[in-house]
């Protein structure tokens, strides 16, 4: 467990975040940073505070102390500006079931005041490997993987420098997981800062340059990919299991 | 997600409203609800306007015929004409075609005759079949009771659906604030409400052509728009507050039940308890008992008129009624009718006073239910409220008293007392005890008119204030709720 030296600009900076919900401390002095071009995975069991950490970065929860800074702007004071920079993929990527993939993307982009042509949307849907015959079907007929792909296509079209992914591979089949991981790594290579929260040790090790181990709302350890190699799954698994059991 | 008024974006609101409409079009339930709402409003307006024209024509014709029939009676004994009687018809005001108000319960036709104050008859409710006993399907009923329910069916999930499917967080992540979201949803529902009001607004052209003032019509339409807007605020507030669609729907259905079904009935019951009134039968007995003490006006020899006879003989310095320069039987009828009318009017005024007091208490429930507030505003501006019905009763009573007394006057002055007393002795004597048909021209042409529009508008100020309070209260509630969730 060693700390990586940051060379790229820091996109996400969580500074000693303390978040209380219903009188219960969910985040306890949580601090971590994610740079552009980096995939950072927050790994933790159920109730560790993973989703709360993401929602705090999005401004859905207000920290009792500490602060979240996105690309140099404090979430507490520059929320609108920050949301323009973030693409968020919730755990259950529930877009509108009455709309088809195209309509969903067009609608959400229009609300974000992002203008994309049909051709650009098509490219994005092809990029996420959503089969073409499904594009005009309502999302109520989509599998979870297909909905996830649509949501990722939307995130890509936002051209956001920061991606927040909440349990992105949960419920996906192995082929879809592999495709998703490839996509995430390619986005990071293009310069996006990607923060994903997950309890999937193997998935995290496959894509992340760094993994933060979260327990009871605090970071209890961090693993860093060494010299272009993946993070050692066994080592993370051991620490994670110990953490969960402890 | 803090958002102030400066960050409200009409374009975003429009997009959200348009998507809500797209959702409704693709959701069968919402489309069915919308179609039912529009069809009901449209049909009731068309049928009511058609009925109103037909009824007005029928009543006008019947009024004219009734007056002609009376005037065309041959030479008769004048008191037979007192009992022959005459019908008068209440012409509904132009807005009565939308909201018949109390007319559907009280009736619109009165038979005027001597010694009696008949109740109005031919009330729609009394003529209807058992299935319509809960209320006819008028445009007012559709908009006051059904339209809020249809808005609930269409709108209960406007925000709770987004929360349940977690699209709220994606919307927020697009930089969309609750303010724009809520205003967009309100706009979508407002468009539904305006569509439901469209037939009413179109019927306004007919109403104006029938002589209704623009002031009253505007107040009437504003009242309905305000009422449906209040429901939209209630729907969006509860949908925003509810954790799930099912909670939102059940809460809204319960709210509708309380505000539109229960509260108006509670209002009537409480008013009845606050201002207890004797039943009709009890009052009729009391009137009859008091009238009995007056003596029988048909019998000039009744001991109740002995003093009257003595005074009259003394005044004219004669010893026998036969020597009086007037017909004593007619004079007794004249005096008796005045005394009877005085008693009947006293009871009628007491009853109307009680009804108004009950109505006052019932109308205070407008502070507790916007439906009660709108019902009052609608009836008062339409001119179909209790006050107008009371005016109709007073005007017709005045008409009755005048024509009966004119006939009694003719009886007194134009028919010889001895001929009158001998009228039943033979057929020939009966022929003699008659006066000319020229005397039947005693009925004033009757045309019931609405109260001046200014007066009706002033009467409607309290229910309008009640509606504005509801609007302001839920507007503030929604704003605070939005801030809380932001």
């Amino acid at each position: 467990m060693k700390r990586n030296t940051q060379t790229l600009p820091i996109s996400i900076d969580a500074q000693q975040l303390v978040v209380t919900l219903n009188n219960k401390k969910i985040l306890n002095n949580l601090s971590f940073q994610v740079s552009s071009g980096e995939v950072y995975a927050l790994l933790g069991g159920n109730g560790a505070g993973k989703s709360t950490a993401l929602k705090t970065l999005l401004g859905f929860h207000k920290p009792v102390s500490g602060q979240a800074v996105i690309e140099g702007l404090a979430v507490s004071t520059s929320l609108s500006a920050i949301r323009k920079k973030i693409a968020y993929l919730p755990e259950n990527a529930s877009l509108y079931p009455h709309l088809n993939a195209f309509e969903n993307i067009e609608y959400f982009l229009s609300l974000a005041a992002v203008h994309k042509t049909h051709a650009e949307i098509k490219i994005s849907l092809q990029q996420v490997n959503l089969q073409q015959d499904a594009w005009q079907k309502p999302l109520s007929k989509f599998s979870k993987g297909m909905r996830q792909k649509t949501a990722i296509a939307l995130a890509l079209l936002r051209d956001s420098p920061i991606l927040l992914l909440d349990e992105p591979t949960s419920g996906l089949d192995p082929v879809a997981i592999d495709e998703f991981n490839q996509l995430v790594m390619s986005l990071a290579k293009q310069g996006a800062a990607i923060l994903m929260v997950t309890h999937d040790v193997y998935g995290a090790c496959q894509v992340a340059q760094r993994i933060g181990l979260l327990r009871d709302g605090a970071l209890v350890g961090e693993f860093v990919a060494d010299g272009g190699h993946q993070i050692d799954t066994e080592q993370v698994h051991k620490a994670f299991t110990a953490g969960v059991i402890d | 997600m803090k958002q102030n008024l400066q960050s409200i974006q009409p374009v975003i609101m429009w997009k959200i409203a348009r998507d809500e409409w797209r959702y409704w079009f693709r959701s069968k339930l919402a489309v069915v609800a919308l179609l039912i709402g529009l069809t009901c409003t449209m049909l009731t307006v068309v049928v009511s306007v058609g009925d109103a024209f037909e009824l007005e024509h029928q009543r006008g014709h019947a009024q004219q015929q009734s007056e002609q029939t009376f005037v065309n009676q041959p030479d008769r004994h004048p008191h037979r004409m007192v009992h022959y009687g005459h019908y008068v018809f209440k012409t509904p005001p132009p807005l009565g075609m939308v909201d018949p108000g109390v007319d559907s319960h009280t009736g619109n036709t009165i038979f005027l005759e001597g010694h009696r104050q008949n109740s109005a008859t031919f009330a729609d409710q009394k003529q209807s079949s058992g299935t319509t006993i809960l209320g006819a399907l008028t445009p007012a009923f559709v908009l006051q009771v059904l339209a809020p329910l249809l808005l609930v069916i269409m709108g209960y999930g406007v925000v709770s659906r987004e929360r349940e499917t977690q699209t709220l967080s994606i919307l927020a992540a697009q930089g969309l604030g609750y303010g724009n979201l809520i205003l967009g949803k309100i706009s979508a529902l407002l468009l539904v409400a305006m569509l439901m009001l469209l037939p009413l607004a179109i019927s306004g052209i007919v109403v104006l052509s029938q002589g209704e003032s623009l002031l009253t019509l505007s107040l009437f339409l504003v009242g309905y728009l305000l009422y449906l807007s209040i429901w939209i605020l209630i729907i969006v507030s509860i949908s925003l507050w509810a954790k799930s669609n099912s909670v939102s729907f059940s809460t809204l259905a319960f709210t509708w039940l309380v505000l539109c079904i229960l509260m108006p009935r509670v209002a009537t019951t409480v008013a009845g308890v606050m201002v207890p009134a004797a039943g009709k039968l009890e009052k009729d007995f009391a009137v009859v008992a008091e009238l009995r003490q007056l003596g029988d006006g048909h019998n000039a020899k009744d001991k109740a008129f002995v003093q009257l006879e003595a005074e009259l003989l003394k005044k004219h310095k004669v010893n026998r009624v036969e020597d009086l320069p007037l017909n004593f039987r007619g004079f007794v009828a004249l005096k008796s009718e005045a005394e009877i009318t005085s008693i009947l009017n006293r009871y009628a005024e007491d009853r109307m006073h009680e009804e108004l007091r009950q109505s006052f208490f019932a109308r205070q429930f407008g502070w507790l239910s916007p439906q009660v507030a709108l019902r009052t505003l609608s009836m008062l501006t339409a001119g179909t409220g209790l006050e107008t019905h009371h005016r109709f009763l007073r005007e017709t009573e005045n008409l009755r008293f005048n024509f009966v007394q004119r006939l009694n006057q003719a009886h007194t002055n134009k028919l010889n007392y001895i001929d009158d007393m001998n009228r039943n002795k033979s057929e020939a004597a009966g022929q003699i005890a008659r006066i000319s048909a020229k005397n039947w021209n005693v009925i004033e042409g009757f045309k019931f008119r609405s109260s001046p529009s200014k007066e009706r508008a002033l009467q409607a100020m309290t229910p309008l204030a009640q509606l504005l309070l509801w609007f302001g209260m839920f507007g503030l509630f929604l704003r605070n709720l939005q801030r809380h969730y932001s």
Side-chain angles (χ1 to χ4, degrees), chain B residues 56-129:
Chain B
E56 194 186 349
H57 175 72
Q58 280 177 2
R59 282 174 197 170
H61 180 69
Q63 186 69 72
Q64 199 180 13
Q65 203 173 33
S66 177
E67 284 167 14
Q68 281 297 311
T69 310
F70 189 92
V71 170
N72 291 339
Q73 288 302 301
D75 296 355
R76 283 184 193 281
H77 187 281
H79 202 73
R80 276 195 66 189
M81 290 306 288
V82 166
H83 284 287
Y84 186 82
H86 170 54
Y87 278 101
V88 283
F89 302 88
K90 184 201 245 178
T91 317
L95 277 170
M97 61 180 84
V98 179
D99 187 354
V102 298
D103 288 2
S104 55
H105 298 271
T106 55
N108 47 50
T109 306
I110 294 188
F111 179 62
L112 306 179
E113 59 177 326
H115 336 314
R116 293 169 72 97
Q117 277 184 356
N118 293 313
S119 306
T121 52
F122 299 114
D124 291 343
Q125 287 292 299
K126 286 172 189 161
Q127 294 183 86
S128 60
S129 63

Side-chain angles (χ1 to χ4, degrees), chain A residues 58-60 62 79 83 86 88 90-100 103 107-112 154 158, chain B residues 1-2 12 15-19 22-23 26 161-162 165-176 181 185 486:
Chain A
L58 279 161
F60 294 164
K62 200 176 170 185
L79 197 52
R83 286 209 177 131
I86 295 177
Y88 169 57
E91 183 176 356
N92 294 307
S94 313
L95 302 176
Y96 289 108
H98 64 283
L99 303 181
N100 64 36
E103 288 169 336
Y107 177 56
F108 280 108
L109 287 179
S110 74
L111 293 181
L154 170 65
R158 289 278 311 275
Chain B
M1 290 238 287
K2 266 198 180 151
I12 298 290
K15 282 175 182 166
I16 290 165
R18 200 184 54 181
D19 181 65
R22 189 159 53 175
Y23 169 76
R26 292 181 187 182
R161 188 183 67 240
E162 304 262 13
T165 56
Q166 294 184 29
T167 39
L168 261 188
S169 53
I170 301 186
L171 286 172
Q174 309 303 307
L176 182 78
L181 178 74
K185 301 289 185 181
S486 294

